[in-house]
Amino acid sequence: MTIRAVDVARVDDRPLWVEISGDEVWWDEPRPREGGRRCVVRRRADGVIEDVLPPGWNARNRVMEYGGRSWRAHEGRLVFTDWADGRIHLCSPGEEPVPLTPEEPARYADLVVHGDTVWCVRERGDARSGERDIVAVPLDGSPCAAW
């Protein structure tokens, strides 16, 4: 499959992140008419373009105020941080996201999937004086480990 910039740049603004996963291309799109949310979209191998992130979800974060990498494609599923709660969620296209991290005053960013684990930065407290650590979040929803 050949990927051209015009295939991804379908909106006035541009994606922050583009990723190739198998035979698919994934990217995030700004949705100004939907409250400024960022929706993750994919182009399947058959050429069909579809939203992966359901309406109402926003693949953004505010770690260190500016935010960081907020999503990754992994084996046909989406791992992402949601703007509203700061938690990491996992979803398959057409399904509602499932949280992987607990409800707590924490935010996550710069996701990297390795095997069955998401490695990322976790920030607690405010961006200026908050505590940051590297955590491993299992994709099965079991508790995460900090380093």
Side-chain angles (χ1 to χ4, degrees):
M1 170 169 57
T2 302
I3 304 302
R4 301 169 305 153
V6 70
D7 295 329
V8 175
R10 300 182 315 126
V11 295
D12 293 339
D13 201 358
R14 64 179 190 265
L16 290 176
W17 308 101
V18 177
E19 184 170 315
I20 305 292
S21 181
D23 291 341
E24 300 177 338
V25 181
W26 295 58
W27 66 93
D28 58 284
E29 288 184 355
R31 300 283 173 90
R33 292 185 178 95
E34 296 176 30
R37 83 178 184 114
R38 293 202 77 88
C39 181
V40 179
V41 178
R42 74 176 176 170
R43 180 179 177 163
R44 300 185 327 210
D46 62 7
V48 172
I49 295 173
E50 64 183 358
D51 291 356
V52 178
L53 196 60
W57 294 90
N58 188 351
R60 293 174 58 198
N61 65 68
R62 53 189 118 194
V63 170
M64 294 186 272
E65 293 183 8
Y66 71 89
R69 178 78 189 239
S70 61
W71 64 271
R72 289 290 183 161
H74 179 66
E75 298 179 354
R77 299 180 297 172
L78 176 66
V79 181
F80 73 99
T81 60
D82 184 57
W83 180 257
D85 63 11
R87 298 167 74 185
I88 296 176
H89 299 266
L90 176 68
C91 76
S92 295
E95 296 181 8
E96 281 297 307
V98 175
L100 296 178
T101 53
E103 285 187 63
E104 63 177 341
R107 296 165 300 282
Y108 300 84
D110 298 327
L111 311 178
V112 175
V113 180
H114 182 71
D116 59 356
T117 305
V118 180
W119 290 83
C120 58
V121 174
R122 176 178 61 189
E123 180 179 71
R124 295 178 174 163
D126 65 40
R128 187 168 276 187
S129 61
E131 169 190 313
R132 289 179 202 92
D133 49 9
I134 304 296
V135 295
V137 179
L139 290 172
D140 66 6
S142 56
C144 64
W147 274 266

